């Protein structure tokens, strides 16, 4: 992260209009299929499933998945949602826990999830560094973002959970990083979440309290 900050700062010193935004968590959320090799997804998710049924290609995919699991380590890959009700018992578990429930290896467990769904399971990766998060947050040119939408009323009524960032981003900044960690002042936190963010996106009628 320091190297990234140095490059942005150097560009700003040259007069370039460069800035950044971050969310205040050391975890990311995406699809489990981001772990498979690119070639295995050529043609789409349905082609991935076909390749998993191929006795020649399946072991190649398994090797990559095992490498990805080893890289992230225990409690590094958390499955949040699987688009198949018959697999719902595996939701809200880490990959190694799912593998244990299936009595198999982590790479085999992930391939089974792919094979029995029509879209990639959703995951949370616990692979970021807290020191990097704090280093980014402290920069004056970095504003705050949740990188998440809020679920619609119908989705909430159906029991679909929200991503933690949907409602937790700004309370976490004000509570954890301002009150507990004293990373910066409350005023600076408010600026990063309001006027600075609005200014970066050219929203002139947002982010600042004015007379009238």
């Amino acid at each position: 992260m320091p190297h990234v900050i140095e490059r942005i700062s150097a560009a700003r010193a040259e007069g370039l209009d460069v800035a950044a935004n971050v969310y205040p968590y050391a975890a990311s959320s995406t699809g489990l299929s981001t772990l498979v090799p690119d070639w295995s997804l050529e043609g789409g998710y349905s082609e991935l499933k076909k390749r998993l049924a191929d006795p020649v290609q399946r072991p190649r995919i398994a090797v990559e998945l095992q490498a990805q699991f080893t890289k992230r380590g225990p409690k590094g890959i958390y499955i949040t949602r699987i688009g198949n009700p018959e697999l719902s018992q595996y939701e809200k578990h880490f990959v190694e826990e799912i593998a244990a429930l299936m009595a198999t290896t982590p790479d085999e467990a992930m391939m089974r999830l792919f094979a029995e769904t029509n879209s990639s399971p959703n995951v949370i990766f616990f692979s970021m560094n807290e020191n990097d998060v704090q280093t980014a947050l402290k920069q004056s040119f970095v504003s705050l973002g949740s990188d998440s939408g809020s679920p619609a009323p119908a989705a909430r009524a159906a029991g679909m959970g929200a991503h933690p960032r949907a409602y937790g981003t700004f309370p976490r900044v004000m509570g954890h990083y301002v009150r507990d960690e004293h990373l910066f002042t409350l005023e600076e936190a408010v600026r990063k979440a309001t006027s600075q963010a609005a200014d970066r996106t050219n929203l002139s009628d947002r982010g600042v309290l004015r007379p009238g």
Side-chain angles (χ1 to χ4, degrees):
M1 183 59 69
H3 176 62
V4 174
I5 298 301
E6 287 174 7
R7 293 190 65 181
I8 295 175
S9 298
R12 290 171 61 84
E14 293 175 5
L16 297 177
D17 183 19
V18 182
N21 69 80
V22 298
Y23 50 70
Y25 294 91
S28 60
S29 179
T30 185
L32 184 64
S33 62
T34 57
L35 299 184
V36 301
D38 291 344
W39 60 263
S40 67
L41 273 170
E42 290 181 3
Y45 196 80
S46 60
E47 294 302 310
L48 168 64
K49 294 176 65 173
K50 292 178 183 178
R51 292 182 177 106
L52 288 171
D54 184 332
V56 175
Q57 298 184 77
R58 186 183 180 93
R60 294 176 60 197
I61 297 172
V63 168
E64 181 65 24
L65 286 172
Q66 182 57 47
Q68 291 287 348
F69 174 78
T70 301
K71 174 182 177 182
R72 285 164 173 78
K75 297 190 180 300
I77 306 171
Y78 184 77
I79 307 296
T80 58
R81 186 172 181 276
I82 303 171
N84 181 348
E86 295 182 3
L87 302 177
S88 61
Q89 70 269 31
Y90 302 126
E91 293 182 341
K92 298 179 176 59
H93 286 286
F94 290 97
V95 163
E96 61 268 27
E97 295 173 337
I98 297 172
L101 291 170
M102 292 181 175
T104 188
T105 58
D107 55 289
E108 181 64 29
M110 287 185 277
M111 289 191 293
R112 288 187 190 179
L113 294 181
F114 292 138
E116 297 179 33
T117 56
N118 292 321
S119 60
S120 177
N122 295 338
V123 298
I124 294 176
F125 292 141
F126 294 91
S127 57
M128 296 161 65
N129 183 285
E130 176 63 20
N131 289 335
D132 282 346
V133 173
Q134 293 195 22
T135 297
L137 283 170
K138 286 190 296 186
Q139 307 308 311
S140 63
F141 55 78
V142 170
S143 46
L144 302 170
S146 67
D147 192 30
S148 176
S150 300
R156 294 198 298 270
M160 294 180 63
H163 191 286
R165 291 198 302 266
Y167 299 109
T169 292
F170 302 104
R172 178 169 171 78
V173 171
M174 309 303 176
H176 179 62
Y177 288 111
V178 172
R179 182 192 62 214
D180 301 336
E181 295 294 326
H182 306 291
L183 198 62
F184 36 70
T185 66
L186 178 61
E187 291 83 357
E188 175 68 355
V190 171
R191 183 187 74 86
K192 286 173 172 289
T194 57
S195 61
Q196 178 168 270
D199 181 64
R200 291 302 303 174
T201 49
N202 296 316
L203 296 175
S204 59
D205 61 342
R206 298 287 189 275
V208 177
L209 291 174
R210 298 185 178 94

